[in-house]
Each structure stands twice: as structure tokens, then as C-alpha cells.
């Protein structure tokens, strides 16, 4: 069965922020920041809390899937789908088994 969840983002806090999330029973921290360069874009970093492994650290854009990989084995952990990205809000869905 495939699950789809939204990563937490508090619009009252805006950018930058970090949010804790559990995906497939594993704790991660999602970091969001707004980069004003190049017309403005969001950078998403996802860190696995157990060992501080960075599974994703990339620029995200609306409706452009991002693969979060285990950094040593390169096994796919989740697919992030940035659904709605603006300078004040960020809605990212994650798809996992």
C-alpha cells in the first residue's frame, strides 16, 4: 500500500523553519528556507533524525517530484511532490510504502 502525507509547514512562521515528521515509522526533520536569488525559490532539506543523514537537500518547484535517497545505499526512501510553493507557503506531499 502506498501512503501520501503532507510535510508539516507552519504558514504563521514562514521561512526559514524546521518541522518534525514521522514517515514510515522513521523520524525526520524537514528544513525549509526561501532563497531570494534567481527569482526566488524554496530549498527543502530532509534529515533522518536517527543518524543525521541528509536524505534530501534540493531546490523544489511546484509539481516537480524529488527523490529522497538513503545517502549510503542510495535506496529510495520517499518521493516528495511539491504541490504548492510560494514565497509565503509550502505544501509538499510525500509518497512512500
Amino acid at each position: 500500500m502506498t501512503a501520501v502525507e503532507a510535510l508539516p509547514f507552519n504558514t504563521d512562521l514562514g521561512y526559514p523553519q524546521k518541522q518534525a515528521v514521522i514517515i514510515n515509522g522513521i523520524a525526520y526533520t524537514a528544513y525549509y528556507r526561501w532563497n531570494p536569488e534567481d527569482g526566488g525559490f524554496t530549498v527543502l532539506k530532509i534529515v533522518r533524525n536517527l543518524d543525521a543523514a541528509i536524505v534530501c537537500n534540493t531546490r523544489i518547484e511546484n509539481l516537480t517530484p524529488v527523490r529522497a535517497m538513503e545517502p549510503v545505499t542510495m535506496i529510495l526512501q520517499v518521493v516528495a511532490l511539491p504541490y504548492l510553493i510560494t514565497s509565503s507557503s509550502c505544501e509538499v506531499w510525500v509518497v512512500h510504502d
Side-chain angles (χ1 to χ4, degrees), residues 6 12 17 27 35-36 52-53 58 60 76-77 85 92 97:
D12 291 336
Q17 70 175 270
N35 188 330
T58 188
I60 57 174
L76 180 66
Q77 302 296 295
I85 309 301
V92 177
D97 288 333

Side-chain angles (χ1 to χ4, degrees), residues 39-55:
F41 59 89
T42 299
V43 176
L44 171 64
K45 179 167 79 170
I46 302 173
V47 178
R48 187 173 53 213
N49 293 357
L50 176 67
D51 58 1
I54 298 171
V55 298

Side-chain angles (χ1 to χ4, degrees), residues 25-37:
I26 300 171
Y28 295 90
T29 301
Y31 296 88
Y32 303 92
R33 70 178 174 84
W34 180 258
N35 188 330
E37 300 294 319

Side-chain angles (χ1 to χ4, degrees), residues 44 56-61 64-68 76 78-82:
L44 171 64
C56 178
N57 189 16
T58 188
R59 173 183 180 159
I60 57 174
E61 298 177 3
T64 304
V66 173
R67 297 165 55 101
L76 180 66
V78 298
V79 174
L81 178 65

